[in-house]
Amino acid sequence: MALGDIIKIKFESIASGGDALGRLDGKTVFAAGGAPFDLALCRITEERNTWSKAEILEIQEPSPFRVNADCGYYARCGGCNLMHIDYDAQLEIKTSILKEQMSRSAGTKPPDIEVFPSPPYEYRNRMQFHCLRQAAEGENFKFGLKGKGTNEIIAISDCHIANPGIRKILKDTASFSKPIEKDRFSVFAHNGVFLSEGGQGRGKIVLLDKEITLDAGMFFQSNCFMLEKLIAELGKIAQTADTNLPMADFYCGVGTFARFLGDVFPKAILAEENKSAIALARENLRGINAEFFALRDTEWYKEGNRGRGSGDKKKGAFASGETFGFAVLDPPRAGLNPKFAKALSENGPGIIAYVSCDASSLARDSKILQEGGYILKELKLFDFYPHTAHIESLAVFGKS
């Protein structure tokens, strides 16, 4: 195959990232917008030694899983990339990708994956938009999202996956205060609460039976329906840990997980690099015995840290000198810092609940934890982002 060649190919599956995958003459071909078992006419756009990329020119025989995308922006907007595939099939695809990543990269057969589906539309509570200003019209502006595979901003007036509170301001931008000096901004909406950078940025929402204070400009999970499901599962797992010892909430953000789990343990230790998030975590954990550390993950477990009050050096001890019975990890897409992962594998608690937003980094970190003596006991997929290729999961590790 060469650049520009026209090929006919039948796609087999969906690869990590959302492209359809097929094979022709022993070579793997990827194409955006395909579905498993589509027969498609394609043009080669990128050629490498072991794989090629192609653009679909025509679907000659559609997949049984192919559906019409219920969004007029879908062909151009970069927000969703699986909306042309039936939702049940999306769940099977993501489960297969997670299982394959864990088997190949972690080097172990994962347990059966329990799947938690989401409402496929109007699920997204937090979104980030670009502000399109039109100089000729002075103060007028529109919202936009990045286009598929480009930095072009696509102006939109609706979004089917957005919470109704967000859809409302998309349809009527005149009712929304313009973010001051910001061309990219975040909004959050949940059960009548609306927060926005440039407007009322901070507020309280209720998850399950507890209040959480958050800020639209800080990271917070974007699907509250699924977040409540995840919190409930974490609660069950926490009950199986040694509740006579403190718990740790690493990459704690605004303290959401410790807010719900902290009172199960005698103490909660929260660690997070973002000082503003730690300040909100302090507010959210009032009434719970908790200690907070605004530190980089490279400083959480360190060689030779002193245990508090003991005067003795502890290999890989946490900054507070505490020993934990349970830890919940919620790292960014890149996963755990490798040094932290290794220290945790050697000196971590009896049970670890790892909340992941990237299957490949989870698989890599799982291998490190298992090399240190942990066993992968449970693996659950939480579909926080229907119609996208993003995979959120929960892996539960126990010491052997």
Side-chain angles (χ1 to χ4, degrees):
M1 287 182 284
L3 287 179
D5 279 359
I6 306 299
I7 63 169
K8 184 183 290 188
I9 189 167
K10 188 162 190 172
F11 296 117
E12 304 169 7
S13 61
I14 299 296
S16 179
D19 284 355
L21 181 156
R23 291 180 174 84
L24 190 64
D25 299 329
K27 196 168 190 178
T28 302
V29 179
F30 299 99
F37 309 122
D38 274 343
L39 180 64
L41 196 66
C42 302
R43 178 187 292 115
I44 300 297
T45 59
E46 187 174 349
E47 182 70 11
R48 299 294 179 91
N49 289 334
T50 58
W51 56 268
S52 303
K53 275 195 173 183
E55 62 174 338
I56 295 174
L57 302 177
E58 179 187 351
I59 301 295
Q60 296 189 329
E61 294 180 14
S63 162
F65 304 121
R66 179 173 283 278
V67 296
N68 291 325
D70 188 21
C71 175
Y73 302 104
Y74 183 62
R76 299 176 61 209
C77 175
C80 296
N81 62 351
L82 295 181
M83 195 176 277
H84 61 284
I85 298 174
D86 173 77
Y87 183 58
D88 287 340
Q90 291 181 35
L91 294 175
E92 292 181 9
I93 287 165
K94 292 181 183 183
T95 303
S96 176
I97 291 171
L98 178 59
K99 183 177 181 179
E100 191 273 336
Q101 289 275 9
M102 295 296 286
S103 299
R104 178 165 52 87
S105 301
T108 185
K109 182 181 178 180
D112 290 340
I113 300 171
E114 185 177 4
V115 178
F116 293 78
S118 167
Y121 294 100
E122 292 193 334
Y123 66 81
R124 186 144 188 163
N125 300 93
R126 185 176 185 269
M127 296 187 72
Q128 187 176 80
F129 295 107
H130 294 261
C131 184
L132 299 180
R133 305 173 193 273
Q134 299 173 336
E137 299 182 32
E139 296 296 315
N140 291 336
F141 66 96
K142 292 182 179 180
F143 298 144
L145 297 170
K146 277 193 174 182
K148 272 188 169 68
T150 74
N151 287 321
E152 178 188 4
I153 306 303
I154 309 299
I156 65 170
S157 59
D158 194 11
C159 178
H160 293 279
I161 67 170
N163 176 275
I166 297 176
R167 294 186 78 178
K168 181 179 178 180
I169 61 108
L170 285 174
K171 293 174 181 177
D172 182 17
T173 58
S175 65
F176 180 75
S177 299
K178 178 180 69 175
I180 300 172
E181 301 298 329
K182 289 186 76 73
D183 290 323
R184 189 174 61 182
F185 62 98
S186 296
V187 297
F188 181 94
H190 179 61
N191 287 347
V193 175
F194 184 83
L195 307 174
S196 171
E197 288 186 282
Q200 181 181 338
R202 183 169 295 189
K204 295 180 183 293
I205 64 167
V206 175
L207 293 175
L208 298 175
D209 59 345
K210 298 183 187 295
E211 276 192 343
I212 293 284
T213 300
L214 57 92
D215 189 298
M218 294 182 199
F219 172 78
F220 194 80
Q221 289 284 4
S222 301
N223 184 331
C224 289
F225 176 87
M226 293 306 299
L227 178 55
E228 290 183 330
K229 298 288 186 185
L230 174 59
I231 290 168
E233 289 301 305
L234 287 172
K236 295 175 187 176
I237 296 161
Q239 293 287 350
T240 68
D242 185 347
T243 56
N244 294 310
L245 293 173
M247 70 158 286
D249 187 348
F250 292 118
Y251 306 93
C252 70
V254 301
T256 305
F257 296 140
R259 174 75 174 92
F260 288 86
L261 307 176
D263 55 7
V264 176
F265 299 88
K267 187 177 183 180
I269 304 295
L270 291 84
E272 163 68 47
E273 179 180 350
N274 188 312
K275 293 181 180 179
S276 297
I278 282 286
L280 276 180
R282 288 180 184 275
E283 182 176 337
N284 284 324
L285 267 77
R286 285 176 182 168
I288 295 175
N289 185 22
E291 194 168 357
F292 305 85
F293 292 85
L295 298 172
R296 294 177 183 272
D297 52 11
T298 52
E299 302 174 63
W300 294 346
Y301 273 97
K302 298 179 72 174
E303 181 80 20
N305 276 353
R306 291 185 181 274
R308 176 167 297 166
S310 68
D312 297 325
K313 288 187 176 182
K314 293 185 177 180
K315 182 181 178 182
F318 181 68
S320 69
E322 303 281 358
T323 299
F324 307 115
F326 175 70
V328 57
L329 318 175
D330 188 13
R333 194 168 303 281
L336 305 179
N337 176 283
K339 290 183 178 179
F340 171 57
K342 189 172 189 305
L344 191 65
S345 73
E346 296 170 351
N347 302 283
I351 295 180
I352 292 175
Y354 186 137
V355 179
S356 167
C357 59
D358 183 84
S360 61
S361 60
L362 172 63
R364 180 203 66 213
D365 295 339
S366 295
K367 185 176 182 180
I368 296 172
L369 291 173
Q370 290 176 96
E371 287 172 349
Y374 280 95
I375 295 173
L376 178 59
K377 300 173 68 175
E378 298 178 51
L379 187 58
K380 304 170 188 287
L381 188 149
F382 290 81
D383 195 29
F384 273 76
Y385 302 105
H387 307 307
T388 81
H390 294 298
I391 296 176
E392 296 265 343
S393 58
L394 171 63
V396 182
F397 298 90
K399 272 288 188 182
S400 60

